[in-house]
mmCIF file of all heavy atoms in Angstrom:
data_model
loop_
_atom_site.group_PDB
_atom_site.id
_atom_site.type_symbol
_atom_site.label_atom_id
_atom_site.label_comp_id
_atom_site.label_asym_id
_atom_site.label_seq_id
_atom_site.Cartn_x
_atom_site.Cartn_y
_atom_site.Cartn_z
ATOM 1 N N ALA W 1 1.720 94.234 43.930
ATOM 2 C CA ALA W 1 2.107 93.307 42.871
ATOM 3 C C ALA W 1 3.307 92.467 43.309
ATOM 4 O O ALA W 1 4.233 92.963 43.941
ATOM 5 C CB ALA W 1 2.432 94.064 41.595
ATOM 6 N N PHE W 2 3.283 91.172 42.972
ATOM 7 C CA PHE W 2 4.385 90.270 43.299
ATOM 8 C C PHE W 2 4.626 89.327 42.128
ATOM 9 O O PHE W 2 3.777 89.178 41.236
ATOM 10 C CB PHE W 2 4.079 89.464 44.570
ATOM 11 C CG PHE W 2 2.849 88.602 44.478
ATOM 12 C CD1 PHE W 2 2.925 87.305 43.977
ATOM 13 C CD2 PHE W 2 1.610 89.084 44.890
ATOM 14 C CE1 PHE W 2 1.791 86.503 43.882
ATOM 15 C CE2 PHE W 2 0.473 88.290 44.795
ATOM 16 C CZ PHE W 2 0.564 87.001 44.294
ATOM 17 N N SER W 3 5.788 88.686 42.141
ATOM 18 C CA SER W 3 6.158 87.818 41.025
ATOM 19 C C SER W 3 7.075 86.704 41.500
ATOM 20 O O SER W 3 7.999 86.953 42.295
ATOM 21 C CB SER W 3 6.850 88.637 39.924
ATOM 22 O OG SER W 3 7.299 87.812 38.882
ATOM 23 N N PHE W 4 6.824 85.482 41.022
ATOM 24 C CA PHE W 4 7.671 84.326 41.294
ATOM 25 C C PHE W 4 7.994 83.628 39.976
ATOM 26 O O PHE W 4 7.138 83.527 39.087
ATOM 27 C CB PHE W 4 6.967 83.314 42.209
ATOM 28 C CG PHE W 4 6.711 83.807 43.598
ATOM 29 C CD1 PHE W 4 5.487 84.361 43.931
ATOM 30 C CD2 PHE W 4 7.684 83.694 44.582
ATOM 31 C CE1 PHE W 4 5.226 84.804 45.220
ATOM 32 C CE2 PHE W 4 7.446 84.137 45.871
ATOM 33 C CZ PHE W 4 6.219 84.692 46.196
ATOM 34 N N SER W 5 9.219 83.127 39.867
ATOM 35 C CA SER W 5 9.615 82.350 38.684
ATOM 36 C C SER W 5 10.470 81.176 39.138
ATOM 37 O O SER W 5 10.799 81.043 40.318
ATOM 38 C CB SER W 5 10.377 83.221 37.684
ATOM 39 O OG SER W 5 11.556 83.757 38.278
ATOM 40 N N HIS W 6 10.816 80.315 38.188
ATOM 41 C CA HIS W 6 11.643 79.136 38.470
ATOM 42 C C HIS W 6 11.010 78.244 39.536
ATOM 43 O O HIS W 6 11.689 77.698 40.400
ATOM 44 C CB HIS W 6 13.055 79.546 38.910
ATOM 45 C CG HIS W 6 13.778 80.395 37.923
ATOM 46 N ND1 HIS W 6 14.262 79.920 36.724
ATOM 47 C CD2 HIS W 6 14.103 81.712 37.959
ATOM 48 C CE1 HIS W 6 14.866 80.894 36.064
ATOM 49 N NE2 HIS W 6 14.777 81.996 36.791
ATOM 50 N N LEU W 7 9.682 78.082 39.485
ATOM 51 C CA LEU W 7 8.968 77.288 40.481
ATOM 52 C C LEU W 7 8.821 75.841 40.027
ATOM 53 O O LEU W 7 8.482 75.574 38.871
ATOM 54 C CB LEU W 7 7.580 77.883 40.735
ATOM 55 C CG LEU W 7 7.526 79.305 41.291
ATOM 56 C CD1 LEU W 7 6.086 79.790 41.355
ATOM 57 C CD2 LEU W 7 8.181 79.376 42.669
ATOM 58 N N ALA W 8 9.034 74.922 40.946
ATOM 59 C CA ALA W 8 8.793 73.511 40.653
ATOM 60 C C ALA W 8 7.294 73.286 40.524
ATOM 61 O O ALA W 8 6.500 73.866 41.275
ATOM 62 C CB ALA W 8 9.364 72.638 41.763
ATOM 63 N N PRO W 9 6.845 72.466 39.584
ATOM 64 C CA PRO W 9 5.411 72.164 39.482
ATOM 65 C C PRO W 9 4.919 71.526 40.782
ATOM 66 O O PRO W 9 5.657 70.815 41.467
ATOM 67 C CB PRO W 9 5.341 71.174 38.316
ATOM 68 C CG PRO W 9 6.605 71.391 37.546
ATOM 69 C CD PRO W 9 7.639 71.781 38.564
ATOM 70 N N GLY W 10 3.653 71.775 41.120
ATOM 71 C CA GLY W 10 3.086 71.196 42.327
ATOM 72 C C GLY W 10 2.061 72.109 42.966
ATOM 73 O O GLY W 10 1.742 73.187 42.454
ATOM 74 N N ARG W 11 1.530 71.695 44.120
ATOM 75 C CA ARG W 11 0.542 72.468 44.857
ATOM 76 C C ARG W 11 1.263 73.341 45.893
ATOM 77 O O ARG W 11 2.197 72.895 46.554
ATOM 78 C CB ARG W 11 -0.470 71.559 45.552
ATOM 79 C CG ARG W 11 -1.407 70.839 44.595
ATOM 80 C CD ARG W 11 -2.415 69.975 45.338
ATOM 81 N NE ARG W 11 -3.268 70.776 46.208
ATOM 82 C CZ ARG W 11 -3.272 70.712 47.536
ATOM 83 N NH1 ARG W 11 -2.428 69.884 48.151
ATOM 84 N NH2 ARG W 11 -4.081 71.460 48.253
ATOM 85 N N TYR W 12 0.777 74.569 46.012
ATOM 86 C CA TYR W 12 1.405 75.529 46.918
ATOM 87 C C TYR W 12 0.368 76.180 47.820
ATOM 88 O O TYR W 12 -0.800 76.374 47.443
ATOM 89 C CB TYR W 12 2.125 76.627 46.125
ATOM 90 C CG TYR W 12 3.392 76.173 45.451
ATOM 91 C CD1 TYR W 12 3.356 75.639 44.166
ATOM 92 C CD2 TYR W 12 4.619 76.279 46.097
ATOM 93 C CE1 TYR W 12 4.528 75.216 43.544
ATOM 94 C CE2 TYR W 12 5.788 75.862 45.487
ATOM 95 C CZ TYR W 12 5.737 75.332 44.206
ATOM 96 O OH TYR W 12 6.894 74.907 43.600
ATOM 97 N N LEU W 13 0.804 76.539 49.008
ATOM 98 C CA LEU W 13 0.071 77.416 49.906
ATOM 99 C C LEU W 13 0.627 78.827 49.740
ATOM 100 O O LEU W 13 1.835 79.010 49.551
ATOM 101 C CB LEU W 13 0.245 76.968 51.356
ATOM 102 C CG LEU W 13 -0.310 75.596 51.732
ATOM 103 C CD1 LEU W 13 0.251 75.169 53.093
ATOM 104 C CD2 LEU W 13 -1.822 75.628 51.781
ATOM 105 N N LEU W 14 -0.248 79.823 49.820
ATOM 106 C CA LEU W 14 0.186 81.215 49.715
ATOM 107 C C LEU W 14 -0.073 81.928 51.031
ATOM 108 O O LEU W 14 -1.047 81.647 51.733
ATOM 109 C CB LEU W 14 -0.547 81.942 48.598
ATOM 110 C CG LEU W 14 -0.157 81.556 47.175
ATOM 111 C CD1 LEU W 14 -1.113 80.515 46.632
ATOM 112 C CD2 LEU W 14 -0.123 82.773 46.268
ATOM 113 N N LEU W 15 0.797 82.875 51.331
ATOM 114 C CA LEU W 15 0.700 83.631 52.574
ATOM 115 C C LEU W 15 1.321 85.001 52.347
ATOM 116 O O LEU W 15 2.294 85.133 51.607
ATOM 117 C CB LEU W 15 1.445 82.900 53.696
ATOM 118 C CG LEU W 15 1.363 83.494 55.101
ATOM 119 C CD1 LEU W 15 -0.033 83.287 55.680
ATOM 120 C CD2 LEU W 15 2.407 82.847 56.002
ATOM 121 N N ALA W 16 0.729 86.014 52.959
ATOM 122 C CA ALA W 16 1.302 87.363 52.903
ATOM 123 C C ALA W 16 1.495 87.878 54.316
ATOM 124 O O ALA W 16 0.684 87.613 55.206
ATOM 125 C CB ALA W 16 0.409 88.308 52.118
ATOM 126 N N ARG W 17 2.588 88.600 54.496
ATOM 127 C CA ARG W 17 2.888 89.202 55.793
ATOM 128 C C ARG W 17 3.339 90.638 55.601
ATOM 129 O O ARG W 17 4.030 90.957 54.621
ATOM 130 C CB ARG W 17 4.012 88.451 56.500
ATOM 131 C CG ARG W 17 3.646 87.148 57.175
ATOM 132 C CD ARG W 17 4.878 86.577 57.832
ATOM 133 N NE ARG W 17 4.617 85.400 58.642
ATOM 134 C CZ ARG W 17 5.552 84.746 59.302
ATOM 135 N NH1 ARG W 17 6.818 85.164 59.245
ATOM 136 N NH2 ARG W 17 5.260 83.686 60.015
ATOM 137 N N ALA W 18 2.986 91.470 56.548
ATOM 138 C CA ALA W 18 3.554 92.817 56.579
ATOM 139 C C ALA W 18 5.002 92.712 57.023
ATOM 140 O O ALA W 18 5.334 91.951 57.936
ATOM 141 C CB ALA W 18 2.768 93.703 57.533
ATOM 142 N N VAL W 19 5.883 93.451 56.381
ATOM 143 C CA VAL W 19 7.295 93.444 56.743
ATOM 144 C C VAL W 19 7.485 94.227 58.036
ATOM 145 O O VAL W 19 6.980 95.351 58.160
ATOM 146 C CB VAL W 19 8.149 94.063 55.613
ATOM 147 C CG1 VAL W 19 9.610 94.138 56.013
ATOM 148 C CG2 VAL W 19 7.992 93.252 54.332
ATOM 149 N N PRO W 20 8.181 93.662 59.018
ATOM 150 C CA PRO W 20 8.394 94.388 60.278
ATOM 151 C C PRO W 20 9.076 95.733 60.042
ATOM 152 O O PRO W 20 9.942 95.867 59.164
ATOM 153 C CB PRO W 20 9.301 93.441 61.077
ATOM 154 C CG PRO W 20 9.053 92.087 60.497
ATOM 155 C CD PRO W 20 8.779 92.313 59.043
ATOM 156 N N GLU W 21 8.692 96.722 60.828
ATOM 157 C CA GLU W 21 9.240 98.065 60.661
ATOM 158 C C GLU W 21 10.741 98.109 60.916
ATOM 159 O O GLU W 21 11.452 98.933 60.344
ATOM 160 C CB GLU W 21 8.519 99.043 61.589
ATOM 161 C CG GLU W 21 7.061 99.266 61.236
ATOM 162 C CD GLU W 21 6.403 100.279 62.136
ATOM 163 O OE1 GLU W 21 7.087 100.794 63.051
ATOM 164 O OE2 GLU W 21 5.202 100.567 61.937
ATOM 165 N N ASN W 22 11.236 97.223 61.790
ATOM 166 C CA ASN W 22 12.656 97.254 62.123
ATOM 167 C C ASN W 22 13.511 96.480 61.133
ATOM 168 O O ASN W 22 14.716 96.366 61.323
ATOM 169 C CB ASN W 22 12.887 96.706 63.539
ATOM 170 C CG ASN W 22 12.438 95.252 63.677
ATOM 171 O OD1 ASN W 22 11.839 94.690 62.758
ATOM 172 N ND2 ASN W 22 12.726 94.662 64.821
ATOM 173 N N GLU W 23 12.915 95.936 60.085
ATOM 174 C CA GLU W 23 13.683 95.206 59.082
ATOM 175 C C GLU W 23 14.206 96.182 58.039
ATOM 176 O O GLU W 23 13.436 96.906 57.411
ATOM 177 C CB GLU W 23 12.825 94.135 58.408
ATOM 178 C CG GLU W 23 13.602 93.272 57.415
ATOM 179 C CD GLU W 23 12.739 92.167 56.830
ATOM 180 O OE1 GLU W 23 12.350 91.267 57.602
ATOM 181 O OE2 GLU W 23 12.458 92.221 55.610
ATOM 182 N N SER W 24 15.516 96.219 57.857
ATOM 183 C CA SER W 24 16.132 97.160 56.936
ATOM 184 C C SER W 24 15.729 96.867 55.503
ATOM 185 O O SER W 24 15.625 95.706 55.098
ATOM 186 C CB SER W 24 17.662 97.099 57.069
ATOM 187 O OG SER W 24 18.283 97.866 56.059
ATOM 188 N N ALA W 25 15.509 97.930 54.741
ATOM 189 C CA ALA W 25 15.224 97.783 53.316
ATOM 190 C C ALA W 25 16.500 97.822 52.494
ATOM 191 O O ALA W 25 16.455 97.646 51.277
ATOM 192 C CB ALA W 25 14.280 98.904 52.856
ATOM 193 N N ASP W 26 17.650 98.033 53.155
ATOM 194 C CA ASP W 26 18.915 98.205 52.443
ATOM 195 C C ASP W 26 19.629 96.896 52.172
ATOM 196 O O ASP W 26 20.411 96.793 51.236
ATOM 197 C CB ASP W 26 19.866 99.108 53.246
ATOM 198 C CG ASP W 26 19.311 100.503 53.401
ATOM 199 O OD1 ASP W 26 18.573 100.931 52.507
ATOM 200 O OD2 ASP W 26 19.612 101.151 54.412
ATOM 201 N N ARG W 27 19.380 95.898 53.015
ATOM 202 C CA ARG W 27 20.180 94.678 52.926
ATOM 203 C C ARG W 27 19.306 93.476 52.616
ATOM 204 O O ARG W 27 18.131 93.430 53.003
ATOM 205 C CB ARG W 27 20.929 94.456 54.247
ATOM 206 C CG ARG W 27 21.937 95.541 54.532
ATOM 207 C CD ARG W 27 22.469 95.450 55.937
ATOM 208 N NE ARG W 27 23.184 94.199 56.177
ATOM 209 C CZ ARG W 27 23.830 93.942 57.320
ATOM 210 N NH1 ARG W 27 23.828 94.820 58.283
ATOM 211 N NH2 ARG W 27 24.468 92.803 57.476
ATOM 212 N N PRO W 28 19.868 92.479 51.918
ATOM 213 C CA PRO W 28 19.098 91.264 51.665
ATOM 214 C C PRO W 28 18.699 90.596 52.973
ATOM 215 O O PRO W 28 19.363 90.753 53.989
ATOM 216 C CB PRO W 28 20.090 90.377 50.878
ATOM 217 C CG PRO W 28 21.131 91.312 50.366
ATOM 218 C CD PRO W 28 21.223 92.421 51.361
ATOM 219 N N VAL W 29 17.605 89.865 52.927
ATOM 220 C CA VAL W 29 17.144 89.175 54.129
ATOM 221 C C VAL W 29 17.358 87.678 53.976
ATOM 222 O O VAL W 29 17.325 87.124 52.881
ATOM 223 C CB VAL W 29 15.654 89.460 54.400
ATOM 224 C CG1 VAL W 29 15.444 90.919 54.759
ATOM 225 C CG2 VAL W 29 14.791 89.071 53.208
ATOM 226 N N ARG W 30 17.601 87.036 55.099
ATOM 227 C CA ARG W 30 17.773 85.591 55.124
ATOM 228 C C ARG W 30 16.409 84.937 54.943
ATOM 229 O O ARG W 30 15.480 85.210 55.704
ATOM 230 C CB ARG W 30 18.386 85.185 56.461
ATOM 231 C CG ARG W 30 18.636 83.702 56.663
ATOM 232 C CD ARG W 30 19.283 83.495 58.017
ATOM 233 N NE ARG W 30 19.687 82.116 58.243
ATOM 234 C CZ ARG W 30 18.972 81.229 58.932
ATOM 235 N NH1 ARG W 30 17.807 81.601 59.447
ATOM 236 N NH2 ARG W 30 19.420 80.004 59.099
ATOM 237 N N PRO W 31 16.227 84.064 53.950
ATOM 238 C CA PRO W 31 14.923 83.433 53.747
ATOM 239 C C PRO W 31 14.433 82.731 55.006
ATOM 240 O O PRO W 31 15.190 82.020 55.676
ATOM 241 C CB PRO W 31 15.196 82.427 52.619
ATOM 242 C CG PRO W 31 16.349 83.011 51.866
ATOM 243 C CD PRO W 31 17.202 83.664 52.918
#
């Protein structure tokens, strides 16, 4: 399950990726 809000109206492309194993779950990630 995922959720997005505060989106500008318009056409969007969607994409999903597996999170790399070496990426920490403790700290925010740089977009």
Side-chain angles (χ1 to χ4, degrees):
F2 60 88
S3 176
F4 294 95
S5 60
H6 303 289
L7 298 174
R11 291 181 62 246
Y12 288 89
L13 296 166
L14 288 96
L15 184 72
R17 282 181 173 180
V19 177
E21 293 182 359
N22 61 353
E23 184 176 293
S24 172
D26 296 330
R27 296 169 62 175
V29 293
R30 180 178 186 262

